[in-house]
């Protein structure tokens, strides 16, 4: 296994009293996809279980490496930042984070060498109030109003995704294109060639242009063609020019 | 069922040749959690199936309301914006969106009254190249390097989450354009007409295609032509066709 599997050393995903082992496996896969590998299970209902391994797909190492403890206190004992997932409507308001803010906080904490615990509650009832009160922040995943209950592993996926986003920091790898973009001069030559060909083909009437060339310029400027694409377009126009000249010779 | 269940009318989640019915159910739940309800299944392997209903939890209405079609073309025929999920490393680069940008684009498209298709590929192999080439954009979910293969329903969850974020995430300025965008069906007709004309003009050798049509599809999908622009392009092709037929008569 490569050494950079764990992009977030010191960040623990803590699943509290999970009922379905399949959810543990699916959560492990979601974590590993986003570079998280430290899984802690608090008093799981049915674990170890083959369903956890099966649903984890290639994250079985995360499942097999999970730490099992019996209390939330134990799970978070060494953490300097504890964030709990929560539904919106709690009686006593708590500092809330969006998933995006959660990702940013975790990135900042990791950069500062802090240990982080992310608490996810039971499938049926989430985290208890006493567990939520051990957290510095609560994070709520926004949903549509009609159906607000996310599957546990899906919640792990969204939070893990935002943690990786926090690390990538909006740094989207630059769009790599296989050819250099055409320059303005090449585009002008193309537009001239196209206009001549449109006239030759009797599609474009210069005495009644109806903004045709304006629309065509707008259209191809939207493309930002690369050099090869301009060559393809001009090659096609040349083929049309040849048809016309053959035709004219025959007349 | 409350009337505001569907926060994104005209936005279709399209699952292509899904193998496991459980994934269909999990995807339906992920969608409904984020306010999306229009599910289209292209040639599903095993559907209807009780596992799809079971995994959907309270989104069984989305599963039962799914439209089943036999081709991707059918699924996207009326869409003006088509986005496909893709791994990053394709031979010919395509305009890429991050999930966040995807959410913003979809929000803008919905505000402009456009129909949107979001394509998700097979569990094993994703979308085929020919399917990806029907898209204006590809969206890639960033992952850690160690394990980049997301479960299908998880991918639906992340994209759906970002679509809801796009809607909540403040005011996206409406996309102002003077004509409605062409839909996929009109674009397919244009591509067929163009290919025939390229062959007629002896520019395109079907026995040695050298990815010509791939490059052309990528180019015109970048444009996202409106209906008038498609009419202009096809008018020009028809003028070329006429030249060819006049020439042939003379020979």
């Amino acid at each position: 296994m490569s050494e950079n599997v764990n992009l977030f050393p010191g960040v623990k995903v803590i699943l509290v009293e999970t009922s379905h082992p399949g959810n543990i496996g699916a959560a492990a896969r979601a974590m590993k996809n986003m570079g998280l590998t430290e899984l802690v299970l608090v008093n799981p209902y049915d674990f170890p279980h083959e369903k956890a391994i099966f649903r984890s797909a290639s994250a079985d190492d995360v499942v097999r490496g999970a730490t099992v403890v019996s209390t939330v206190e134990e799970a978070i004992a060494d953490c300097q930042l504890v964030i709990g997932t929560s539904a919106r409507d709690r009686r006593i308001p708590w500092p809330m984070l969006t998933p995006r803010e959660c990702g940013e906080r975790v990135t900042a904490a990791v950069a500062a060498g802090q240990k982080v615990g992310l608490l996810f509650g039971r499938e049926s009832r989430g985290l208890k109030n006493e567990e939520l009160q051990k957290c510095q922040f609560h994070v709520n995943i926004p949903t549509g109003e009609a159906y607000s209950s996310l599957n546990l592993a899906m919640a792990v996926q969204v939070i893990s995704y935002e943690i990786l986003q926090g690390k990538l920091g909006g740094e989207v790898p630059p769009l790599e294109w296989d050819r250099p973009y055409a320059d303005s001069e090449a585009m002008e030559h193309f537009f001239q060639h196209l206009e001549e060909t449109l006239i030759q083909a009797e599609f474009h009437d210069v005495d009644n242009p109806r903004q045709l060339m304006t629309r065509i310029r707008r259209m191809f400027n939207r493309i930002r063609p690369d050099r090869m694409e301009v060559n393809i377009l001009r090659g096609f126009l040349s083929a049309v020019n040849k048809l016309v000249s053959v035709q004219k010779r025959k007349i």
Side-chain angles (χ1 to χ4, degrees), chain A:
Chain A
M1 197 189 309
S2 81
E3 280 177 61
N4 60 354
V5 168
N6 186 359
L7 300 181
F8 302 95
V11 179
K12 296 189 272 191
V13 171
I14 303 164
L15 307 184
V16 181
E17 296 190 347
T18 308
S19 302
H20 300 294
N23 283 333
I24 294 173
R29 178 174 180 179
M31 288 169 57
K32 190 173 174 185
N33 283 153
M34 298 297 152
L36 291 151
T37 63
E38 300 177 30
L39 176 61
V40 180
L41 305 172
V42 178
N43 205 14
Y45 180 72
D46 197 5
F47 186 86
H49 196 289
E50 61 180 6
K51 271 193 189 165
I53 298 295
F54 178 74
R55 288 281 297 281
S56 72
S58 297
D60 59 314
D61 54 331
V62 173
V63 174
R64 290 184 216 277
T67 307
V68 179
V69 298
S70 52
T71 64
V72 168
E73 287 76 7
E74 242 181 296
I76 61 174
D78 64 346
C79 294
Q80 291 133 314
L81 174 62
V82 180
I83 300 173
T85 50
S86 162
R88 204 182 298 254
D89 52 337
R90 294 282 167 181
R91 243 184 318 173
I92 299 183
W94 212 260
M96 294 290 302
L97 301 175
T98 64
R100 198 152 297 168
E101 291 164 341
C102 174
E104 292 160 0
R105 291 264 177 186
V106 171
T107 300
V110 171
Q114 295 175 8
K115 295 219 178 234
V116 179
L118 298 161
L119 285 174
F120 293 84
R122 299 149 191 86
E123 287 95 333
S124 48
R125 295 171 298 131
L127 292 168
K128 294 177 186 169
N129 279 335
E130 67 201 59
E131 292 159 352
L132 282 165
Q133 288 170 18
K134 296 185 196 299
C135 303
Q136 281 115 39
F137 296 98
H138 296 167
V139 57
N140 173 259
I141 300 173
T143 62
E145 278 175 34
Y147 186 21
S148 64
S149 165
L150 261 72
N151 166 273
L152 169 62
M154 291 291 184
V156 172
Q157 180 72 73
V158 170
I159 298 297
S160 301
Y161 161 77
E162 284 289 12
I163 288 172
L164 183 61
Q165 289 294 301
K167 186 182 170 73
L168 300 175
E171 282 309 298
V172 181
L175 177 61
E176 281 166 36
W177 205 251
D178 53 346
R179 310 273 165 172
Y181 286 117
D183 60 22
S184 279
E185 192 177 19
M187 288 306 292
E188 276 311 310
H189 289 157
F190 163 67
F191 285 127
Q192 279 163 28
H193 193 172
L194 179 57
E195 183 162 15
E196 286 158 20
T197 309
L198 291 169
I199 293 167
Q200 255 190 349
E202 291 169 21
F203 181 66
H204 177 35
D205 179 0
V206 281
D207 297 326
N208 182 21
R210 296 163 303 141
Q211 296 196 303
L212 180 68
M213 286 312 296
T214 305
R215 288 191 178 275
I216 283 175
R217 275 179 178 272
R218 181 179 71 165
M219 182 164 32
F220 283 96
N221 278 320
R222 287 219 301 290
I223 292 192
R224 282 191 75 197
D226 65 38
R227 283 188 207 156
M228 184 181 220
E229 289 168 341
V230 170
N231 288 343
I232 290 171
L233 291 168
R234 294 201 59 179
F236 172 55
L237 294 178
S238 296
V240 174
N241 300 151
K242 217 166 93 184
L243 286 174
V244 175
S245 65
V246 169
Q247 191 199 334
K248 293 238 165 96
R249 271 207 306 279
K250 297 217 163 127
I251 287 171

